[in-house]
Amino acid sequence: MSYDGIVTRAVVDELKDKLIGGRVDKVYQQEKDEILIRIYSRGKNYRLVISSSSNNPRIHLTEYSKENPQEPPMFCMLLRKHLIGGTVLNIEQSSLDRIVFIDISAKDELGQSTENRIVVELMGKHSNMILINKEDGIIMDSVKRVYEDMSRVREVVPGIMYESPPDQDKKNPLEASRDHFFSSLEASKGNLKIFKFFYFNYTGLSPLISRELCFQAAIDIDRTINSLEADDIEKLFLAFESLMDRLRSKNYSPLILMDEEDKIIAFYALNLEQFGDLHKIEMDSISKILDKYYHLKDNIDRIKQKSNSIKKSITVKLDRAKSKLSKQKNELLESKDREKYKVYGDLISANLHAISRGVDKVELDNFYDEDMESIVIPLNIKLSPVQNAQRYYKRYSKLKTAYNLLLKQIPQTENEIDYLENVITSLENSTEVYEIDEIKEELVEEGYLRAAKKRRKSRKSKVSKPHHFLSRDNIDIFVGKNNRQNDILTFKSSNRSDIWMHVQKMPGSHVIIASNGADIPDTTLEDGAILAAYYSKARSSNNVNIDYTERKNVKKPKGAKAGMVIYNNFKTINASPNKSHIRKLKK
C-alpha cells in the first residue's frame, strides 16, 4: 500500500480543518507503538490514531478503538501529563515528506502555559512518535528510543536536541520548476526506468503515484530514460505539473480499489486510472479510507493469528484421526479374515500327536475343505503345539471382538474427520474475530481445546449471524459461518418447507433458501448452489456437486457433533464458485 507524502498531505489538510483549536481530552496507548488521542473540537469528539508500527505506520482520524492495557505505559503517562487539557495550535507537514508536526499548548504543574510538539515520523521500520519541547527542541521522550549503538545516523532519547531524519537530497515536488524537472531527468542514468525517476528525485512520491504519472502521460512504465523522445518528456512534465496543481488546490479524491475477491489492491488520496475497471470505493475523507483499510487489515491479521493457532491444533488432531481411521480399516480387513485362525487352531489341535515341538511350520490336511487339500500353518518355535493352537484361538477371538467393535468405531472416526474438516473450512471462511471466538468455544465444548482462564469481560460478546444474500429473484438465502451456526440455521431458524443445500460429500456451510411455501425458481437454486460451493472446501474447484432437499428431510443423528447431519430425498445440482456473482447477491 502507498501511505506516501501525498496521502500524508491529504491527512494533514483534513486534520487542520477539523482539529485546530480543539481540546485534548484523553490519551491512550492501546498498542506498544500506537497512540489514540481524543480531541473535542467544534462540538464534536474526534479520535486521532498515531501508529509508528514498522508494518503499518500512519496517522488519521478513526471511528474504532481497541481495548486498553490495564496499566498505561510510561510514554502514555507522559503524554497525558503534558497534553490533556491542552489546545491544538497547529498541524503541519514537513515539505511533502511523511513527517507531521502537531503543536499543543497546555499548562504545566505550575500553571504556566507550555507549548509541546508531537513529531510523527512515518518511515517504515524507522517510524517513530516523539514528544519535544517546542521552545528549546529538547526531546522529552519517544515511543521508540533509539540509542547510539542502534543507529549511526541519529539518537532519539530524552534530554537531547531533536534532529530531523537525514535529507535524502530529494526536491519538494511542490516547489520544483520546469527547469529542475528537465535538468534532473537529464542528470539521471539513462537506463533508469522512467517511473523510478519520480520517487528517486522527489520527496513524497511513491512507486504507485509514479506509475500513475506514466499512465497519465501514456508512457510505458518499463521504458528507460534514454528511450524518451522530446514529446514524451513534455507529456511526463505536464502530467507531473497537473498532479502538483491538484495538490496545491487540495483537489483530493480518496479511494480504495478492490479486486474480484474483495481484496484491497490500493488506496490513495487521488483518483487512480492505471487499474482500469477495478471496483472503486470513493469517500469524502482520506481518514475514512485509511480507517477502513487499516481496520480491515488489522482484522485480517488478527483473524489470521487467531485462526492459525486453532487450525494448527485441529490439523494435528485431524491427522491423528486420519491415521487412526487407516489403522482401523486395516484391522477391519484383517478381522474379516479371522476364520482362518480358528481353522489353524482346530487343525493343530486335531494333529497334536503329529507335530513336533520346535518346528516353524506344519503342513496338515484341511478337513474343512471339500477336497481335503493340505494347508501350511506357521508355528512359533518357542511354543508347544498346544500353545500354538491356543495362540490362534485367542487371535480369532480377539479379531471377532474387534470386528464388531470396528463396525461402530470406523463411522465414529469418519464423523470426527468430517467434523474437524468442517471446523477448518469454517476457520477459513471467518471474516470477524468474534467468529473465531465462537469456533473456539465450540471446540472447547466438544473437548478438542482446553478452556482458557476466565477473564473479566469489559463488554458483551458479539454473536455472529449467518451470511445473508438476496437471490436474483429477491429470495432470501442464508449461509452458516460455522458448525454451531449451521445447526441453529438449519434446525431453529428455518421452516420445514425451506430448501436446504450442501456441497456433496465434502465439508461446507449449510445453505437455506427461504421458500415461504412457494416454489423456488431455477435461478435462485443456481444462486444457492454457487453459495454452497463457495462456502465449502471446494471453493477453488469448478463444477461442484451440490445436494439440495426440503429442510424437513434433514436430520441430526443422536449424539452427532455440531453441524453434522444426514439427509434424504435430495436432488443434485452442479455449480462453480464465483466471487463476483456472490458480491452481487450480498445484502
Side-chain angles (χ1 to χ4, degrees):
M1 294 305 125
S2 190
Y3 197 122
D4 61 7
I6 291 176
V7 172
T8 305
R9 180 181 174 88
V11 171
V12 168
D13 285 338
E14 182 175 53
L15 298 184
K16 279 183 179 181
D17 183 56
K18 294 181 177 179
L19 300 185
I20 288 181
R23 182 184 70 245
V24 177
D25 283 342
K26 301 283 184 181
V27 178
Y28 304 103
Q29 188 168 347
Q30 300 171 322
E31 306 279 356
K32 66 178 182 179
D33 48 17
E34 185 173 303
I35 294 291
L36 183 75
I37 304 176
R38 288 183 57 179
I39 299 172
Y40 181 78
S41 178
R42 304 170 196 177
K44 187 175 179 180
N45 288 308
Y46 293 95
R47 293 187 180 100
L48 177 66
V49 63
I50 307 173
S51 174
S52 58
S53 71
S54 299
N55 295 327
N56 301 309
R58 63 196 187 276
I59 177 173
H60 58 85
L61 298 174
T62 180
E63 295 294 328
Y64 302 102
S65 61
K66 303 175 185 175
E67 189 173 344
N68 296 311
Q70 293 182 343
E71 295 292 332
M74 291 299 296
F75 186 64
C76 178
M77 295 295 289
L78 181 73
L79 292 178
R80 288 177 178 178
K81 177 181 177 180
H82 292 282
L83 302 184
I84 287 181
T87 301
V88 179
L89 300 179
N90 187 38
I91 302 172
E92 62 183 76
Q93 180 184 21
S94 174
S95 181
L96 196 67
D97 211 345
R98 291 170 296 168
I99 300 176
V100 179
F101 304 124
I102 305 174
D103 297 334
I104 298 174
S105 174
K107 295 184 182 297
D108 60 18
E109 299 94 328
L110 302 176
Q112 300 294 318
S113 292
T114 58
E115 189 174 333
N116 297 311
R117 165 171 281 186
I118 302 173
V119 183
V120 182
E121 299 176 349
L122 308 174
M123 298 181 170
K125 66 179 182 179
H126 302 297
S127 298
N128 210 339
M129 191 185 325
I130 307 163
L131 181 67
I132 66 175
N133 183 291
K134 179 74 180 297
E135 185 176 348
D136 56 21
I138 298 296
I139 296 174
M140 302 166 74
D141 208 346
S142 58
V143 76
K144 298 177 184 177
R145 293 184 180 181
V146 182
Y147 296 97
E148 187 176 7
D149 61 344
M150 297 168 63
S151 173
R152 293 176 297 175
V153 178
R154 62 170 184 156
E155 285 187 276
V156 182
V157 293
I160 68 172
M161 183 74 70
Y162 170 76
E163 294 181 13
S164 299
D167 189 2
Q168 295 180 311
D169 296 325
K170 293 184 180 182
K171 180 74 172 177
N172 182 349
L174 291 168
E175 299 173 356
S177 64
R178 179 186 179 89
D179 289 342
H180 179 272
F181 181 89
F182 279 82
S183 61
S184 298
L185 194 65
E186 186 177 351
S188 297
K189 294 180 179 179
N191 62 355
L192 181 69
K193 289 186 177 181
I194 184 59
F195 84 96
K196 292 184 178 181
F197 160 78
F198 291 105
Y199 63 87
F200 277 13
N201 287 275
Y202 293 103
T203 301
L205 301 189
S206 61
L208 177 67
I209 194 61
S210 298
R211 291 187 179 95
E212 181 68 17
L213 286 170
C214 291
F215 182 85
Q216 294 293 338
I219 303 294
D220 192 311
I221 62 170
D222 289 326
R223 286 183 62 179
T224 56
I225 290 176
N226 57 15
S227 72
L228 297 176
E229 303 290 341
D231 61 333
D232 294 328
I233 297 174
E234 184 66 26
K235 289 177 183 177
L236 285 169
F237 175 72
L238 291 175
F240 176 77
E241 187 61 23
S242 175
L243 174 67
M244 294 306 110
D245 286 342
R246 289 170 66 187
L247 293 183
R248 295 185 189 101
S249 62
K250 302 180 182 180
N251 186 18
Y252 303 115
S253 306
L255 59 79
I256 286 177
L257 286 161
M258 315 282 286
D259 67 8
E260 291 184 354
E261 296 297 320
D262 279 344
K263 292 179 181 177
I264 295 178
I265 298 298
F267 68 78
Y268 210 61
L270 304 171
N271 186 32
L272 299 174
E273 297 180 8
Q274 60 184 290
F275 294 99
D277 296 329
L278 283 180
H279 178 55
K280 290 183 181 179
I281 299 175
E282 298 176 312
M283 297 184 182
D284 60 358
S285 160
I286 186 61
S287 284
K288 289 179 181 178
I289 290 290
L290 297 173
D291 206 24
K292 179 179 178 64
Y293 169 72
Y294 285 108
H295 177 69
L296 180 61
K297 189 175 189 303
D298 180 62
N299 197 45
I300 290 171
D301 290 345
R302 290 170 66 198
I303 287 172
K304 186 175 181 180
Q305 185 179 21
K306 277 198 166 190
S307 65
N308 281 351
S309 174
I310 298 173
K311 192 174 181 179
K312 184 177 179 180
S313 176
I314 295 305
T315 299
V316 170
K317 291 175 172 59
L318 178 60
D319 290 342
R320 287 175 183 168
K322 287 180 176 179
S323 177
K324 179 181 176 182
L325 181 63
S326 178
K327 291 178 181 177
Q328 287 175 334
K329 286 185 174 181
N330 287 334
E331 289 175 8
L332 184 65
L333 286 173
E334 186 181 5
S335 65
K336 285 180 179 180
D337 201 25
R338 64 187 179 277
E339 289 297 330
K340 73 176 182 180
Y341 299 115
K342 183 177 182 301
V343 171
Y344 288 174
D346 288 346
L347 294 180
I348 293 171
S349 297
N351 293 277
L352 292 175
H353 63 284
I355 303 173
S356 301
R357 184 176 183 132
V359 297
D360 61 354
K361 60 185 175 182
V362 63
E363 185 173 352
L364 301 172
D365 292 333
N366 184 4
F367 49 70
Y368 286 105
D369 185 76
E370 293 180 1
D371 300 325
M372 288 289 288
E373 288 188 4
S374 62
I375 185 172
V376 176
I377 302 174
L379 298 175
N380 187 327
I381 60 174
K382 296 180 180 180
L383 302 178
S384 67
V386 172
Q387 289 173 324
N388 268 293
Q390 290 174 344
R391 182 170 69 96
Y392 279 122
Y393 285 136
K394 285 180 181 178
R395 192 166 187 181
Y396 166 76
S397 179
K398 182 179 179 181
L399 289 175
K400 184 179 179 181
T401 303
Y403 179 79
N404 294 323
L405 193 60
L406 287 166
L407 289 178
K408 296 178 181 178
Q409 289 178 339
I410 287 176
Q412 292 173 352
T413 306
E414 288 175 336
N415 288 337
E416 182 179 25
I417 290 171
D418 288 344
Y419 173 75
L420 294 175
E421 287 183 335
N422 262 300
V423 168
I424 291 175
T425 300
S426 296
L427 287 169
E428 292 171 349
N429 287 339
S430 295
T431 56
E432 296 291 344
V433 173
Y434 61 83
E435 292 171 8
I436 302 293
D437 292 336
E438 283 185 349
I439 295 172
K440 188 174 182 178
E441 288 174 14
E442 175 192 322
L443 291 169
V444 169
E445 290 177 5
E446 294 289 348
Y448 289 101
L449 295 179
R450 290 182 181 180
K453 292 182 180 179
K454 291 185 177 180
R455 295 186 299 176
R456 181 175 58 86
K457 293 185 178 180
S458 58
R459 61 187 71 181
K460 189 175 180 180
S461 298
K462 287 185 177 180
V463 178
S464 69
K465 295 180 180 180
H467 293 293
H468 185 191
F469 300 89
L470 272 181
S471 76
R472 285 170 285 176
D473 305 296
N474 290 320
I475 295 175
D476 292 314
I477 304 178
F478 301 93
V479 181
K481 293 180 179 177
N482 54 55
N483 285 318
R484 182 187 291 176
Q485 201 176 89
N486 284 335
D487 274 353
I488 295 172
L489 177 61
T490 298
F491 297 110
K492 293 184 179 180
S493 302
S494 62
N495 296 318
R496 286 172 56 82
S497 60
D498 289 344
I499 299 299
W500 180 90
M501 310 186 87
H502 194 279
V503 64
Q504 188 180 88
K505 297 179 181 179
M506 203 177 291
S509 296
H510 292 200
V511 175
I512 291 289
I513 300 176
S515 67
N516 296 317
D519 291 335
I520 299 298
D522 289 344
T523 47
T524 292
L525 283 176
E526 290 171 7
D527 292 339
I530 291 171
L531 290 166
Y534 183 81
Y535 289 100
S536 76
K537 192 177 180 179
R539 176 177 288 193
S540 301
S541 305
N542 289 315
N543 300 319
V544 181
N545 287 332
I546 307 297
D547 293 337
Y548 68 98
T549 184
E550 288 187 319
R551 208 282 296 158
K552 65 183 180 182
N553 296 321
V554 182
K555 311 293 181 186
K556 189 170 185 66
K558 187 177 180 180
K561 297 182 184 296
M564 301 295 102
V565 298
I566 56 175
Y567 54 93
N568 54 31
N569 297 330
F570 63 89
K571 296 180 181 179
T572 302
I573 188 173
N574 190 271
S576 295
N578 188 323
K579 182 63 178 178
S580 60
H581 182 83
I582 289 172
R583 188 189 290 120
K584 297 174 184 177
L585 304 178
K586 188 70 176 178
K587 185 172 181 180

